[in-house]
Amino acid sequence: QVQLQESGPGLVKPSGTLSLTCAVSGGSISSSYWWTWVRQPPGKGLEWIGEVYHIGTTNYNPSLKSRVTISVDKSRNQFSLSLTSVTAADTAVYYCARNSQTIVGVPSDWGQGTRVTVSS
Amino acid sequence: DIQMTQSPSALPASVGDRVTITCRASQSISTYLNWFQQKPGKAPKFLIFGAFNLQSGVPSRFSGSGSGTDFTLTISSLQPEDFATYYCQQSSSIPYTFGQGTKLEI
């Protein structure tokens, strides 16, 4: 059973860079899966940020594309999210997930989420 | 982007009720429609894919239907553990978008 665990700073200053990692256990990040980031602002719904394939191919939400990078680190069996020029609107719980291997675009296994606040 | 609209936003219900949640897409998505359940403070849980296929382990009281732009999630007999927020998600085209959620309330 794969397990995912997000980690990173819980507080980021405005105009700074949000950097999170998702450690994968119980499975290899090099296997044929897409790996996804989703976020949820306080009291609001879910927003798809983007995804990365194990070979490094990425898809991003156009609303964030100019600021976001998702990458894979095979040596550490983890993947990462970087979001630049953050504002208060980026305050959210950030989830990492592994997509279904057979159903395109569906996060089937999720981490517990990590709360990130953008504030000075 | 494809917009996903759920109704209602909140649904008062009782244990044993049959409830239906509706999700509408702003354009046709065939059956690329998925449902998630989220409880407070927890990550979403994947329930249904392809509009009507139950993920392994999901109780049979959950069912989904629809195609094109209009979809429904039905819970045939509400159990106490079903009180949660439900989200639809389209996986027809990037960016994959979610509905705003429907909160099942006691």
Side-chain angles (χ1 to χ4, degrees):
Chain A
Q1 179 76 5
V2 70
Q3 293 186 316
L4 302 100
Q5 179 67 59
E6 304 88 348
S7 62
L11 181 64
V12 181
K13 294 187 185 309
S15 78
T17 297
L18 181 158
S19 297
L20 299 174
T21 60
C22 181
V24 178
S25 58
S28 172
I29 199 147
S30 298
S31 52
S32 301
Y33 288 93
W34 287 87
W35 305 87
T36 288
W37 287 97
V38 173
R39 70 181 182 178
Q40 185 170 36
K44 295 187 178 181
L46 302 164
E47 180 181 27
W48 182 82
I49 299 171
E51 61 184 0
V52 60
Y53 197 48
H54 68 101
I55 57 172
T57 306
T58 54
N59 293 309
Y60 297 131
N61 191 323
S63 69
L64 299 169
K65 189 172 184 177
S66 64
R67 299 194 291 132
V68 69
T69 303
I70 299 174
S71 59
V72 167
D73 185 339
K74 293 182 180 181
S75 66
R76 298 184 178 184
N77 212 43
Q78 65 185 31
F79 64 108
S80 300
L81 170 69
S82 176
L83 185 66
T84 62
S85 303
V86 297
T87 69
D90 296 308
T91 293
V93 174
Y94 285 76
Y95 295 99
C96 63
R98 187 181 74 172
N99 284 13
S100 166
Q101 196 170 33
T102 55
I103 311 156
V104 173
V106 180
S108 57
D109 299 288
W110 296 64
Q112 64 186 25
T114 188
R115 185 174 303 274
V116 178
T117 301
V118 178
S119 175
S120 55
Chain B
D1 298 4
I2 298 175
Q3 305 304 314
M4 306 300 294
T5 304
Q6 290 181 233
S7 60
S9 296
L11 181 56
S14 300
V15 172
D17 284 354
R18 177 184 178 91
V19 299
T20 297
I21 299 168
T22 297
C23 177
R24 176 165 289 177
S26 60
Q27 64 189 72
S28 178
I29 57 171
S30 184
T31 56
Y32 293 101
L33 190 284
N34 314 294
W35 290 97
F36 294 83
Q37 176 195 66
Q38 187 180 33
K39 296 182 179 179
K42 300 295 186 181
K45 176 186 175 182
F46 177 36
L47 294 181
I48 289 175
F49 63 95
F52 51 81
N53 301 287
L54 262 60
Q55 174 69 340
S56 175
V58 174
S60 59
R61 62 182 181 273
F62 290 88
S63 64
S65 66
S67 67
T69 60
D70 294 313
F71 303 87
T72 60
L73 171 69
T74 298
I75 309 173
S76 60
S77 179
L78 271 176
Q79 299 301 301
E81 61 267 28
D82 300 336
F83 288 92
T85 300
Y86 292 84
Y87 293 93
C88 61
Q89 179 229 15
Q90 65 82 18
S91 52
S92 174
S93 64
I94 289 169
Y96 304 128
T97 44
F98 293 85
Q100 81 279 15
T102 294
K103 185 176 183 180
L104 277 185
E105 305 173 324
I106 296 176

